[in-house]
Amino acid sequence: MSISSRFAVAIHILALLDINKEGRNTSEFIAGSVNTNPVVIRRVIGLLGKAGLVHTSPGVGGASLARQPQDINLLEVYRAVQNDPPGELFAAHDKPNPKCPVGQNIQGTLDTVFRRAESAMENELAKVTLDQIVFDLVRGDR
Amino acid sequence: MSISSRFAVAIHILALLDINKEGRNTSEFIAGSVNTNPVVIRRVIGLLGKAGLVHTSPGVGGASLARQPQDINLLEVYRAVQNDPPGELFAAHDKPNPKCPVGQNIQGTLDTVFRRAESAMENELAKVTLDQIVFDLVRGDR
DNA sequence: TCACCTGTAACCATTGTAGTTACAATTACT
DNA sequence: AGTAATTGTAACTACAATGGTTACAGGTGA
Ligand code: FES
Ligand code: FES
């Protein structure tokens, strides 16, 4: 399966918050932009809020970045919206047979390889900051 | 969501085929080793067969490696058992609003980042060969 | 013929996801 | 105080992928 589109939506939201920082970014406004339901947006924003990436204003409405866009990288965003804990991008097979020569040690062997691959991916995400994304978006507009 | 455990099971199977190359590796035997149902094993072996990694003997029974273990790397195995086509590790959000300044260009921007991250992960998998896995397994046995 | 095995279809339970409706709690404005 | 707007959350639905299971047709060799 693919990694949840929450990640893509989260990046979308954060970029919008930066670009439209003058306006009041309600979940409904953002939903219109992302083309989905406001509740979906609020759910993602809730996760981003818990991770300390955005602030929200209950009652008054609207969300805003809690940090400068150059201080937010995509790995943080990924971690914020990803339900699976780190180190579980690859599913291990549950209960290998301990009586089998392969089963005895397969867990550790696979774990090393899987962790290495997962880290390589995450390092690429860590390299990219939100302001690079925004720059790229605005550049595309010209 | 995590990447399907089919990948872990596939590596498990291939390692077993190499280690137990003298014996007749029926789906039932392998299933006992992996600790799952024979049909699950046959399904995975079917995918590995289509990818040209193993040979099977319908009727007579048993499977064997179609190549030397040093000539099989984990990226090939990953591709063989992964249903999602390459380039879709990360799900894009479906239909961004073309009237939104973000939506106009978000697809291309995200695509670049996502592809880069996915490739980084795959490159790590490509570095590891089946015989390295087997070596590690056997070493753990001592 | 017979025993055994593969390949595959069919079905089921579980899980994660995204969308949707509904509503209490919060805040600003008048 | 009263009203309108908005967040945060719960609850429900629909859907897709997954892994396990049973069943069985067809191949293969003894
Ligand atoms: S436990 Fe997985 S093959 Fe032996
Ligand atoms: S925020 Fe996704 S289309 Fe505008």
Side-chain angles (χ1 to χ4, degrees), chain A residues 4-6 36-37 39-40 42-43 58-60 83:
Chain A
S4 161
S5 76
R6 277 195 306 274
T36 182
N37 190 288
V39 175
V40 174
R42 292 203 283 269
R43 278 204 283 245
V60 52
N83 276 351

Side-chain angles (χ1 to χ4, degrees), chain A residues 93 95-104 106, chain B residues 12-13 16 30 32-35:
Chain A
H93 86 113
K95 19 175 179 63
N97 184 341
K99 284 177 291 187
C100 164
V102 178
Q104 280 173 9
I106 189 81
Chain B
H12 203 129
I13 293 172
L16 189 60
I30 299 175
S33 201
V34 178
N35 196 24

Side-chain angles (χ1 to χ4, degrees), chain A residues 8-9 12-13 15-16 29-30 32-35, chain B residues 93 95-104 106:
Chain A
V9 171
H12 202 127
I13 293 172
L16 190 59
F29 168 74
I30 300 175
S33 201
V34 177
N35 197 24
Chain B
H93 85 113
K95 19 172 179 68
N97 184 342
K99 284 177 292 187
C100 163
V102 177
Q104 281 173 9
I106 190 80

Side-chain angles (χ1 to χ4, degrees), chain A residues 76-105:
Chain A
E76 297 177 277
V77 181
Y78 175 73
R79 288 254 160 82
V81 300
Q82 190 71 7
N83 276 351
D84 302 323
E88 296 190 7
L89 175 61
F90 297 89
H93 86 113
D94 274 356
K95 19 175 179 63
N97 184 341
K99 284 177 291 187
C100 164
V102 178
Q104 280 173 9
N105 303 102

